[in-house]
Amino acid sequence: MRYLALSFMLAVFAAGPAAAEQDLLLGADMSSPAMTKAEMSRADVEAMIQAADGKPIDLHDKALSGLDLSGLNLRSVNLRTARLNNANLRGADLSGANLEQAWLLKADLSGAKLADAKMFGITARDANLSGADLSRSMPIGDFKGADMSGATLVDLKGGADIKNQSMGLMRAVFTSVNLSGANLRGANLGRSRLEYANLKDADLTGVVLMGSDLSGANLTGATVTGADFKNVDVSGARLINLKGQSEAKDWAERVNIDRAVTQASN
């Protein structure tokens, strides 16, 4: 499964936007037991936590799809390449967890603690992360269609690092993600994909958006004080009633400015 996760990651992030959409989930049998079943029970996981006596447990590469792990203390747990599709992690403490190349399709992480979590290559399409705390986490992965409304993403490390990547441009994919009312103060989303994202009333104070794609996104009522808009594609984006617009960085350097929506329709 770890090789499947790696090949998936390369297909998604190394390809261009159009190709990446076509290649997404390519080669993965999403109906297989490895992606839909759990090889352990909640009681098994609880026993591991108890036996670890406060130390992080290792669940890397485990099949845990559909499992109820809500409310558990999973701080610094190793879930690298694990499958947690449709899993219930509501309110769980995953602070500092290793979720690199993990699968969390339609997983429920509402109210979960994910501060400082590693998420390089994660696949969390349509996941519920509403009200979750992802502060300082590194979500270089696919969150397309996820619900992050009211989430805390302070100092998020989602920017693409061209100098430190040997396999193409890895980036955060937040296409069609609901980030309404989310706190993204100080987050790095440079070169990320935010097409059609809902950023209504979100706090984007000091956010690095340089080179990102905000085409079709809704930023109505968002706070953009100190946010960096250099080379940001705003084609079709709703830039209405923005707070702190006069203090945004490189505001004149946006791409497709003439195609942005700046006034509410009657």
Side-chain angles (χ1 to χ4, degrees):
M1 288 305 299
R2 69 184 61 183
Y3 300 108
L4 173 58
L6 179 59
S7 62
F8 164 79
M9 180 178 67
L10 293 176
V12 174
F13 303 112
E21 291 297 331
Q22 296 172 6
D23 290 340
L24 213 50
L25 306 182
L26 183 65
D29 183 0
M30 304 310 298
S31 63
S32 68
M35 302 299 286
T36 60
K37 304 294 183 181
E39 61 182 282
M40 303 174 65
S41 66
R42 179 185 174 98
D44 292 333
V45 177
E46 290 177 326
M48 289 183 66
I49 294 173
Q50 185 174 3
D53 194 24
K55 296 180 181 179
I57 62 172
D58 188 356
L59 294 171
H60 83 278
D61 208 35
K62 295 293 185 181
L64 305 169
S65 293
L67 198 59
D68 181 4
L69 300 172
S70 59
L72 292 184
N73 181 359
L74 295 166
R75 293 178 64 88
S76 301
V77 62
N78 183 6
L79 285 165
R80 189 173 187 274
T81 69
R83 280 83 67 205
L84 292 139
N85 301 320
N86 291 294
N88 181 3
L89 289 153
R90 188 183 305 121
D93 189 348
L94 292 152
S95 304
N98 184 348
L99 290 162
E100 292 183 344
Q101 300 176 47
W103 296 77
L104 286 140
L105 298 172
K106 297 183 179 180
D108 186 354
L109 293 127
S110 55
K113 297 178 181 178
L114 291 151
D116 300 299
K118 299 176 182 178
M119 301 181 184
F120 191 83
I122 192 174
T123 311
R125 280 192 169 196
D126 299 314
N128 183 359
L129 289 144
S130 59
D133 183 2
L134 291 90
S135 300
R136 300 176 305 280
S137 63
M138 189 176 293
I140 307 296
D142 182 9
F143 292 84
K144 183 176 180 180
D147 182 359
M148 292 185 173
S149 57
T152 300
L153 301 99
V154 174
D155 295 328
L156 194 79
K157 302 171 184 177
D161 185 357
I162 297 177
K163 297 181 180 179
N164 194 32
Q165 296 186 17
S166 60
M167 299 179 291
L169 184 61
M170 312 293 186
R171 66 186 76 204
V173 178
F174 286 166
T175 303
S176 300
V177 169
N178 182 3
L179 286 157
S180 60
N183 182 357
L184 294 108
R185 295 176 69 92
N188 184 350
L189 288 170
R191 298 182 176 83
S192 60
R193 297 186 56 187
L194 289 152
E195 309 102 302
Y196 303 104
N198 181 0
L199 288 154
K200 187 176 181 180
D201 298 321
D203 189 347
L204 301 172
T205 301
V207 171
V208 176
L209 291 165
M210 183 175 60
S212 63
D213 189 349
L214 276 168
S215 56
N218 184 2
L219 280 76
T220 301
T223 300
V224 296
T225 305
D228 187 351
F229 280 85
K230 187 173 183 179
N231 296 327
V232 174
D233 190 344
V234 294
S235 178
R238 297 179 65 82
L239 308 177
I240 302 170
N241 297 328
L242 298 180
K243 300 178 180 70
Q245 177 179 321
S246 61
E247 300 174 63
K249 297 180 181 179
D250 294 314
W251 185 249
E253 300 299 318
R254 293 165 295 150
V255 178
N256 293 320
I257 297 175
D258 58 324
R259 299 181 184 179
V261 180
T262 57
Q263 294 183 348
S265 58
N266 295 327

